[in-house]
Amino acid sequence: MPTTLTDLSRDPWLLPEVDALIGANMPAFMSWESPGNWRWHGMYDRYPAHQLCLVDGDGRLVAAANGLPVRWDGSASSLPSGSDDALVAGVDHAPPDRPDAVCMLSVSVDPDHRAEGHAERLLTEVRRRAATDAPRGVVIPVRPTRKPRYPLIPIGEYAAWRRPDGRCFDPWLRTHFDLGARQLGIAERSLVIRQPVSRWAEFLGHPLPGPGDHLLPGALAPLRVTEDGHGTYVEPNVWVHHPAGPDTR
Ligand SMILES: CC(C)(COP(=O)(O)OP(=O)(O)OC[C@H]1O[C@@H](n2cnc3c(N)ncnc32)[C@H](O)[C@@H]1OP(=O)(O)O)[C@@H](O)C(=O)NCCC(=O)NCCS
């Protein structure tokens, strides 16, 4: 299906559609209050040209990629600690005069249009733009799409899993590696959501009577309930780096 590339600086009316697409593609708790989520719309306001959209011939949104420019010296140790941290830095502070890199925080494709190359097209476009605006390329705290099936496996071990053919086990990480990205490290605390146990219990549809680690559908790791009556979800991601410019395969 032919699609047209645009962004929120050119077509700001797409903003509610972008939110709806991301919301429908993620478990509901992923948009609850967190330092990053509080600033999500601040990212749109400040960096509308970094909010890429693919629309079909009828103007419907098919895929979106959301990010922001960051300072980065090229080392794993100078990366933000994750998605929350990148949003706090990018929204609360003045934008870098000359950004080093672009940090992509979300790529979302309409479920009816998966595996059609839209995600790859968006990643390729961000890299192409980085060649002029962000010479160190594109960094992404990746949320591996099959990880919710293995919430008890540490993220670093999961990311290292390989198929018998030697390619990465996780399909979304595989897409990045196939495009020439490399793994930079693990963001153990990319996004942190702390809420009263009652809210988590309502979401789960069953009580959480005691402290401990509880399974949370759609999460990459267990929900930790503590004696203070709160539950905290700490989402781990995998940092990957795409060089600026064309595909390097
Ligand atoms: C992650 C996401 C953007 C990838 O988009 P996509 O169009 O599926 O991307 P790709 O075409 O590169 O597919 C990746 C792999 O998943 C497979 N795949 C995608 N959709 C599939 C489907 N419906 N059924 C089976 N396999 C599917 C593809 O075949 C590919 O595997 P391959 O490398 O063996 O060919 C998309 O799945 C999505 O929007 N997910 C929800 C939001 C999300 O988790 N985003 C990532 C974190 S920000």
Side-chain angles (χ1 to χ4, degrees):
M1 182 193 39
T3 54
T4 305
L5 180 76
T6 183
D7 61 56
L8 290 187
S9 71
R10 288 154 66 187
D11 291 305
W13 60 271
L14 283 168
L15 190 155
E17 288 200 43
V18 173
D19 276 352
L21 177 66
I22 296 171
N25 267 340
M26 282 285 157
F29 61 82
M30 285 294 287
S31 60
W32 291 1
E33 294 81 355
S34 81
N37 287 338
W38 279 313
R39 292 164 175 88
W40 191 257
H41 283 131
M43 173 176 70
Y44 293 175
D45 292 345
R46 184 169 277 192
Y47 309 105
H50 286 273
Q51 316 311 316
L52 304 186
C53 303
L54 285 178
V55 292
D56 68 12
D58 298 322
R60 276 192 296 265
L61 185 68
V62 170
N66 303 90
L68 76 183
V70 290
R71 300 302 310 275
W72 181 50
D73 71 8
S75 68
S77 60
S78 81
L79 286 166
S81 59
S83 173
D84 278 340
D85 198 24
L87 281 155
V88 170
V91 174
D92 290 6
H93 304 290
D97 292 337
R98 285 183 54 78
D100 302 302
V102 173
C103 181
M104 295 308 298
L105 295 174
S106 170
V107 180
S108 237
V109 176
D110 183 320
D112 291 339
H113 295 287
R114 299 264 170 89
E116 292 178 6
H118 302 304
E120 185 171 329
R121 181 172 172 204
L122 287 168
L123 291 171
T124 306
E125 176 62 17
V126 178
R127 283 167 61 147
R128 194 188 65 76
R129 293 182 180 200
T132 45
D133 301 336
R136 291 196 196 273
V138 185
V139 290
I140 309 180
V142 173
R143 180 175 216 264
T145 51
R146 294 284 192 272
K147 181 72 172 75
R149 292 183 187 169
Y150 309 95
L152 306 180
I153 303 294
I155 187 93
E157 285 178 33
Y158 175 83
W161 283 356
R162 292 292 178 266
R163 304 192 310 189
D165 64 4
R167 296 172 71 213
C168 186
F169 172 79
D170 184 83
W172 184 221
L173 281 172
R174 195 160 66 231
T175 293
H176 291 279
F177 297 146
D178 286 353
L179 283 171
R182 70 184 173 96
Q183 185 173 325
L184 278 175
I186 298 297
E188 292 286 356
R189 300 175 64 83
S190 190
L191 171 104
V192 179
I193 296 171
R194 176 179 152 84
Q195 289 291 310
V197 165
S198 56
R199 189 172 185 195
W200 291 110
E202 190 183 338
F203 172 78
L204 285 166
H206 60 250
L208 295 167
D213 287 349
H214 295 264
L215 294 180
L216 180 63
L220 309 195
L223 168 71
R224 174 150 297 178
V225 170
T226 42
E227 297 279 6
D228 64 0
H230 282 79
T232 304
Y233 172 58
V234 178
E235 164 136 323
N237 290 154
V238 181
W239 276 115
V240 305
H241 172 241
H242 289 258
D247 187 345
T248 50
R249 276 174 291 187

